[in-house]
Amino acid sequence: MLDIAPSEFLLVAFIALVVIGPKDLPKALRVIGHWVGRARAVGRQFRSGFDEMVREAELAEMEKKWKAENERIMREHAAPSADPALPHVSADEPAPVMVEQPQMIEHPQIVPSDASAPTEGSTPAVAPEPGSDVPAVGNRAAS
């Protein structure tokens, strides 16, 4: 960084002591230290900004390479299908059509063995009939 010999440093310190005086020297050193710290912070900020720009440029270059490679792979391994969502269907064949709506089957609820006998003031557990939209009613106390 700076090549200052010890003898040069002592000469600068002696001149500062004579010119500034022993009374104001600590204050002057604090001010100099403050400005040196700010200069270092500006240098650090400049360096980090420059590094960030280099990283962004490298990322943009890598994205271009990846995009070119992806396009090359897609050209080499293109599906013969007209619709990319259906790669197993050729362009000559019509797309498959769903004929029936799928059926949803509800599983019967399992009632614990101790809950099979209704208690006084409660309703018995009732399982829903198959195909009904009514949920099962549990063992609830009457209100």
Side-chain angles (χ1 to χ4, degrees):
M1 202 159 136
L2 295 176
D3 190 25
I4 299 176
S7 60
E8 294 171 349
F9 183 72
L10 284 174
L11 179 65
V12 170
F14 179 73
I15 292 173
L17 182 64
V18 170
V19 172
I20 298 173
K23 185 177 176 184
D24 294 330
L25 189 61
K27 184 178 179 182
L29 290 177
R30 271 194 300 272
V31 169
I32 290 171
H34 172 74
W35 285 106
V36 168
R38 289 189 76 169
R40 283 185 173 182
V42 167
R44 243 188 335 265
Q45 185 178 8
F46 176 76
R47 188 174 359 171
S48 68
F50 184 76
D51 290 345
E52 183 68 27
M53 288 187 332
V54 168
R55 254 185 256 122
E56 287 176 2
E58 288 175 352
L59 273 176
E61 183 180 329
M62 289 298 293
E63 286 177 358
K64 287 179 185 176
K65 286 181 183 179
W66 289 339
K67 185 177 180 181
E69 184 67 15
N70 189 26
E71 289 174 356
R72 183 190 64 80
I73 291 171
M74 293 304 285
R75 277 192 311 270
E76 288 178 3
H77 302 289
S81 168
D83 185 8
L86 302 170
H88 61 281
V89 178
S90 68
D92 300 338
E93 298 176 19
V97 178
M98 183 183 298
V99 180
E100 294 181 14
Q101 189 73 357
Q103 293 181 344
M104 301 296 289
I105 301 172
E106 292 185 22
H107 293 286
Q109 290 190 355
I110 300 173
V111 179
S113 61
D114 61 336
S116 61
T119 59
E120 186 177 326
S122 66
T123 58
V126 178
E129 295 181 5
S132 70
D133 293 339
V134 179
V137 178
N139 191 3
R140 297 184 184 154
S143 32

